[in-house]
Amino acid sequence: MRITIFGSGYVGLVTGACLAEAGNHVVCVDVDPRKVEMLSRGEVPIHEPGLDEVIERNQAKGRLKFTLDAAEGVAHGLFQMIAVGTPPDEDGSADLKHVLAVARTIAEHMTDYKVVITKSTVPTGTADKVRAALVETLAARGAATEFDIVSNPEFLKEGAAINDFNRPDRIIIGTDNPRVTELMRALYEPFTRNHDRLIVMDIRSAELTKYAANAMLATKISFMNEMANLAERLGADVEKVRLGIGSDPRIGYGFIYPGVGYGGSCFPKDVQALERSARAVGYESNILGAVEAVNARQKRVLHHKISAHFGGQLAGKTFAVWGLAFKPNTDDMREAPSRVLLESLWADGARVRAYDPVAMAEARRLFGERADLTLCASMEEAVRGADALVIVTEWQEFRSPDFDAIKASLSTAVIFDGRNLYDPQLMQRFGFVYYGIGRGAKVPTVRA
């Protein structure tokens, strides 16, 4: 099949690469000349395990191309996928200007039937706006070219996106035309051979499904963080509680790990956008507001623990920070808890020695050169001479370090574990003062 994807960001790149890997011919259109030039050379601007190999392989076979030429892209594909960003507007709602600009671009150049597919995460009702933009632009040209609109939201996890696309839990198809359902079924047939995972519904329900899924996962995270904070005040261990409730199949173990809050490009933006969508139709979503508030507070928990331990005297102290990306297996630092922590430490006059396996370049881009930040080449280098170790991201290589070496490198044997990687009793035997999240030690109240 011939497919065009507008937008070569995270969703567009993974979607294009995986569809090309299945034998389709894919053209990815982007407006950024530098990005298109990089991708055409085989350089991938994001970190996603396995993605660079898939892109390189399919470019070499002539099945994947990157271009600035929108007209070429529109002429190429029966399927026109919109995978551009929907950043938060000033009021927190999703900004659709890029989505609608692509819709108008498609209409400006199309000369035959197209299936226009929104892959971007968009509010309910966006398909109506896309349709209107297409109709208006076609009318201005005096054209009456047929098209159909499909909502086909993505459910990719950063760090596992290739596997998620190739072995999907579900493929949501929102359409009002049965003919389009069969076209979409054919498009995704290579990914559903073992089991039909297509779930077909109306367009508005498909649009809401994506937001509802992310909001539910974010709610589980915030709920567990709320329980962790309560466990500290009651002298309970939230990790034991997690095992106790996760064994209930109605709850499950997924997304109930306490920590320092969620980040990334999806959960914060989508929860906020869904809350604004509710307000737009006169509904006040108390749960969504609480999920946001708990998450914002949780991102300050580590700083609060650090400040309490050192009696509020952080000026001149140096902290080793392990993990900068918002989660493992990505270099994405958008809305990352590490950013809140670092800014808070700097505001108190502290210095930071940071290490992340893949996010160092992104950290350098975000923070630049500053005297109170040292970006280290290894986890061992980061702890050298620091007053305490702070763990923010649960990278695999942090799970079983040399604790004797860490203790020898630190000026004081203190660990603030924002991901509960270590056993408190083991840390005590190694001679560390250890702070986890919800591990039973009572702490001063965290103020909102």
Side-chain angles (χ1 to χ4, degrees), residues 14 17-19 21-22 54 156 160-169 190-193 197:
V14 173
C18 291
L19 287 172
E21 183 82 341
V54 178
L156 306 174
I162 301 295
N163 184 71
D164 285 347
F165 195 99
N166 291 332
R167 297 173 179 80
D169 298 317
F191 309 98
T192 61
R193 287 182 176 176
R197 292 175 173 80

mmCIF file of all heavy atoms in Angstrom, residues 14 17-19 21-22 54 156 160-169 190-193 197:
data_model
loop_
_atom_site.group_PDB
_atom_site.id
_atom_site.type_symbol
_atom_site.label_atom_id
_atom_site.label_comp_id
_atom_site.label_asym_id
_atom_site.label_seq_id
_atom_site.Cartn_x
_atom_site.Cartn_y
_atom_site.Cartn_z
ATOM 1 N N VAL A 14 7.735 6.314 14.048
ATOM 2 C CA VAL A 14 7.488 4.912 14.405
ATOM 3 C C VAL A 14 6.448 4.307 13.470
ATOM 4 O O VAL A 14 6.618 3.190 12.954
ATOM 5 C CB VAL A 14 7.032 4.793 15.874
ATOM 6 C CG1 VAL A 14 6.603 3.362 16.187
ATOM 7 C CG2 VAL A 14 8.144 5.230 16.818
ATOM 8 N N ALA A 17 7.988 3.901 9.904
ATOM 9 C CA ALA A 17 9.003 2.842 9.851
ATOM 10 C C ALA A 17 8.362 1.458 9.919
ATOM 11 O O ALA A 17 8.736 0.551 9.160
ATOM 12 C CB ALA A 17 9.993 3.032 10.994
ATOM 13 N N CYS A 18 7.406 1.285 10.805
ATOM 14 C CA CYS A 18 6.785 -0.036 10.969
ATOM 15 C C CYS A 18 5.899 -0.404 9.777
ATOM 16 O O CYS A 18 5.852 -1.573 9.371
ATOM 17 C CB CYS A 18 5.984 -0.082 12.266
ATOM 18 S SG CYS A 18 7.005 -0.042 13.764
ATOM 19 N N LEU A 19 5.192 0.562 9.217
ATOM 20 C CA LEU A 19 4.382 0.276 8.030
ATOM 21 C C LEU A 19 5.275 -0.060 6.836
ATOM 22 O O LEU A 19 4.947 -0.947 6.031
ATOM 23 C CB LEU A 19 3.485 1.474 7.708
ATOM 24 C CG LEU A 19 2.299 1.691 8.660
ATOM 25 C CD1 LEU A 19 1.608 3.014 8.359
ATOM 26 C CD2 LEU A 19 1.298 0.537 8.561
ATOM 27 N N GLU A 21 8.243 -1.424 7.081
ATOM 28 C CA GLU A 21 8.806 -2.734 7.387
ATOM 29 C C GLU A 21 7.861 -3.859 6.966
ATOM 30 O O GLU A 21 8.305 -4.974 6.642
ATOM 31 C CB GLU A 21 9.103 -2.832 8.894
ATOM 32 C CG GLU A 21 9.767 -4.107 9.343
ATOM 33 C CD GLU A 21 11.280 -4.107 9.133
ATOM 34 O OE1 GLU A 21 11.792 -3.302 8.331
ATOM 35 O OE2 GLU A 21 11.941 -4.940 9.769
ATOM 36 N N ALA A 22 6.561 -3.578 6.933
ATOM 37 C CA ALA A 22 5.568 -4.581 6.531
ATOM 38 C C ALA A 22 5.431 -4.680 5.015
ATOM 39 O O ALA A 22 4.624 -5.468 4.514
ATOM 40 C CB ALA A 22 4.219 -4.251 7.157
ATOM 41 N N VAL A 54 15.343 0.038 11.797
ATOM 42 C CA VAL A 54 14.184 -0.154 10.924
ATOM 43 C C VAL A 54 14.148 0.935 9.854
ATOM 44 O O VAL A 54 13.886 0.654 8.673
ATOM 45 C CB VAL A 54 12.876 -0.152 11.744
ATOM 46 C CG1 VAL A 54 11.662 -0.292 10.822
ATOM 47 C CG2 VAL A 54 12.879 -1.278 12.767
ATOM 48 N N LEU A 156 1.279 3.981 21.594
ATOM 49 C CA LEU A 156 2.679 3.589 21.654
ATOM 50 C C LEU A 156 3.309 4.040 22.964
ATOM 51 O O LEU A 156 3.144 5.191 23.372
ATOM 52 C CB LEU A 156 3.452 4.201 20.487
ATOM 53 C CG LEU A 156 2.908 3.930 19.078
ATOM 54 C CD1 LEU A 156 3.701 4.722 18.048
ATOM 55 C CD2 LEU A 156 2.937 2.437 18.769
ATOM 56 N N ALA A 160 9.207 1.315 24.011
ATOM 57 C CA ALA A 160 8.735 0.004 23.544
ATOM 58 C C ALA A 160 7.818 0.172 22.334
ATOM 59 O O ALA A 160 6.956 -0.662 22.078
ATOM 60 C CB ALA A 160 7.997 -0.723 24.664
ATOM 61 N N ALA A 161 8.018 1.251 21.580
ATOM 62 C CA ALA A 161 7.066 1.621 20.537
ATOM 63 C C ALA A 161 7.066 0.650 19.361
ATOM 64 O O ALA A 161 6.004 0.370 18.783
ATOM 65 C CB ALA A 161 7.359 3.037 20.048
ATOM 66 N N ILE A 162 8.238 0.144 18.970
ATOM 67 C CA ILE A 162 8.298 -0.785 17.838
ATOM 68 C C ILE A 162 7.481 -2.039 18.146
ATOM 69 O O ILE A 162 6.670 -2.497 17.337
ATOM 70 C CB ILE A 162 9.755 -1.162 17.511
ATOM 71 C CG1 ILE A 162 10.584 0.086 17.165
ATOM 72 C CG2 ILE A 162 9.797 -2.170 16.367
ATOM 73 C CD1 ILE A 162 10.155 0.796 15.914
ATOM 74 N N ASN A 163 7.678 -2.587 19.315
ATOM 75 C CA ASN A 163 6.923 -3.775 19.712
ATOM 76 C C ASN A 163 5.439 -3.459 19.834
ATOM 77 O O ASN A 163 4.588 -4.273 19.435
ATOM 78 C CB ASN A 163 7.457 -4.315 21.041
ATOM 79 C CG ASN A 163 6.777 -5.607 21.445
ATOM 80 O OD1 ASN A 163 6.986 -6.649 20.843
ATOM 81 N ND2 ASN A 163 5.939 -5.542 22.470
ATOM 82 N N ASP A 164 5.104 -2.300 20.370
ATOM 83 C CA ASP A 164 3.696 -1.923 20.512
ATOM 84 C C ASP A 164 3.006 -1.837 19.157
ATOM 85 O O ASP A 164 1.845 -2.235 19.015
ATOM 86 C CB ASP A 164 3.572 -0.578 21.231
ATOM 87 C CG ASP A 164 3.844 -0.684 22.721
ATOM 88 O OD1 ASP A 164 3.885 -1.816 23.235
ATOM 89 O OD2 ASP A 164 4.024 0.360 23.365
ATOM 90 N N PHE A 165 3.704 -1.289 18.163
ATOM 91 C CA PHE A 165 3.092 -1.163 16.846
ATOM 92 C C PHE A 165 2.963 -2.525 16.167
ATOM 93 O O PHE A 165 1.922 -2.841 15.578
ATOM 94 C CB PHE A 165 3.910 -0.227 15.958
ATOM 95 C CG PHE A 165 3.163 0.232 14.733
ATOM 96 C CD1 PHE A 165 2.543 1.473 14.702
ATOM 97 C CD2 PHE A 165 3.078 -0.573 13.602
ATOM 98 C CE1 PHE A 165 1.833 1.890 13.583
ATOM 99 C CE2 PHE A 165 2.375 -0.163 12.476
ATOM 100 C CZ PHE A 165 1.745 1.070 12.469
ATOM 101 N N ASN A 166 3.996 -3.336 16.276
ATOM 102 C CA ASN A 166 3.989 -4.634 15.592
ATOM 103 C C ASN A 166 3.110 -5.665 16.279
ATOM 104 O O ASN A 166 2.605 -6.591 15.623
ATOM 105 C CB ASN A 166 5.412 -5.178 15.488
ATOM 106 C CG ASN A 166 6.269 -4.373 14.523
ATOM 107 O OD1 ASN A 166 5.758 -3.781 13.577
ATOM 108 N ND2 ASN A 166 7.571 -4.348 14.766
ATOM 109 N N ARG A 167 2.910 -5.523 17.585
ATOM 110 C CA ARG A 167 2.083 -6.463 18.345
ATOM 111 C C ARG A 167 1.082 -5.678 19.190
ATOM 112 O O ARG A 167 1.164 -5.651 20.415
ATOM 113 C CB ARG A 167 2.963 -7.347 19.234
ATOM 114 C CG ARG A 167 3.919 -8.229 18.445
ATOM 115 C CD ARG A 167 4.891 -8.956 19.361
ATOM 116 N NE ARG A 167 5.791 -9.828 18.610
ATOM 117 C CZ ARG A 167 6.877 -9.413 17.965
ATOM 118 N NH1 ARG A 167 7.206 -8.120 17.998
ATOM 119 N NH2 ARG A 167 7.624 -10.258 17.297
ATOM 120 N N PRO A 168 0.134 -5.053 18.538
ATOM 121 C CA PRO A 168 -0.771 -4.136 19.255
ATOM 122 C C PRO A 168 -1.756 -4.861 20.163
ATOM 123 O O PRO A 168 -2.205 -5.984 19.863
ATOM 124 C CB PRO A 168 -1.509 -3.422 18.117
ATOM 125 C CG PRO A 168 -1.499 -4.411 16.994
ATOM 126 C CD PRO A 168 -0.185 -5.135 17.101
ATOM 127 N N ASP A 169 -2.087 -4.228 21.285
ATOM 128 C CA ASP A 169 -3.176 -4.724 22.133
ATOM 129 C C ASP A 169 -4.512 -4.522 21.444
ATOM 130 O O ASP A 169 -5.409 -5.354 21.537
ATOM 131 C CB ASP A 169 -3.202 -3.975 23.476
ATOM 132 C CG ASP A 169 -1.941 -4.188 24.272
ATOM 133 O OD1 ASP A 169 -1.470 -5.336 24.333
ATOM 134 O OD2 ASP A 169 -1.414 -3.202 24.813
ATOM 135 N N PRO A 190 -1.190 -7.130 8.359
ATOM 136 C CA PRO A 190 0.081 -7.761 8.768
ATOM 137 C C PRO A 190 0.318 -7.749 10.273
ATOM 138 O O PRO A 190 1.143 -8.533 10.774
ATOM 139 C CB PRO A 190 1.138 -6.898 8.050
ATOM 140 C CG PRO A 190 0.416 -6.281 6.901
ATOM 141 C CD PRO A 190 -0.968 -6.030 7.402
ATOM 142 N N PHE A 191 -0.373 -6.883 10.991
ATOM 143 C CA PHE A 191 -0.140 -6.746 12.433
ATOM 144 C C PHE A 191 -1.223 -7.450 13.261
ATOM 145 O O PHE A 191 -1.191 -7.380 14.492
ATOM 146 C CB PHE A 191 -0.080 -5.268 12.806
ATOM 147 C CG PHE A 191 0.872 -4.473 11.949
ATOM 148 C CD1 PHE A 191 0.407 -3.729 10.873
ATOM 149 C CD2 PHE A 191 2.233 -4.513 12.185
ATOM 150 C CE1 PHE A 191 1.276 -3.017 10.067
ATOM 151 C CE2 PHE A 191 3.116 -3.810 11.379
ATOM 152 C CZ PHE A 191 2.636 -3.063 10.309
ATOM 153 N N THR A 192 -2.188 -8.093 12.586
ATOM 154 C CA THR A 192 -3.304 -8.712 13.318
ATOM 155 C C THR A 192 -3.550 -10.145 12.851
ATOM 156 O O THR A 192 -4.658 -10.656 12.976
ATOM 157 C CB THR A 192 -4.592 -7.881 13.131
ATOM 158 O OG1 THR A 192 -4.938 -7.852 11.724
ATOM 159 C CG2 THR A 192 -4.418 -6.467 13.636
ATOM 160 N N ARG A 193 -2.523 -10.798 12.337
ATOM 161 C CA ARG A 193 -2.724 -12.133 11.765
ATOM 162 C C ARG A 193 -3.083 -13.173 12.811
ATOM 163 O O ARG A 193 -3.854 -14.099 12.553
ATOM 164 C CB ARG A 193 -1.470 -12.551 10.996
ATOM 165 C CG ARG A 193 -1.310 -11.793 9.689
ATOM 166 C CD ARG A 193 -0.105 -12.239 8.897
ATOM 167 N NE ARG A 193 -0.057 -11.556 7.606
ATOM 168 C CZ ARG A 193 0.916 -11.693 6.728
ATOM 169 N NH1 ARG A 193 1.940 -12.499 6.999
ATOM 170 N NH2 ARG A 193 0.892 -11.049 5.577
ATOM 171 N N ARG A 197 -7.440 -7.606 16.145
ATOM 172 C CA ARG A 197 -7.417 -6.632 17.230
ATOM 173 C C ARG A 197 -8.085 -5.314 16.852
ATOM 174 O O ARG A 197 -8.012 -4.351 17.607
ATOM 175 C CB ARG A 197 -5.961 -6.378 17.667
ATOM 176 C CG ARG A 197 -5.337 -7.587 18.347
ATOM 177 C CD ARG A 197 -3.874 -7.380 18.672
ATOM 178 N NE ARG A 197 -3.341 -8.477 19.464
ATOM 179 C CZ ARG A 197 -2.951 -9.647 18.989
ATOM 180 N NH1 ARG A 197 -3.043 -9.883 17.700
ATOM 181 N NH2 ARG A 197 -2.492 -10.596 19.790
#
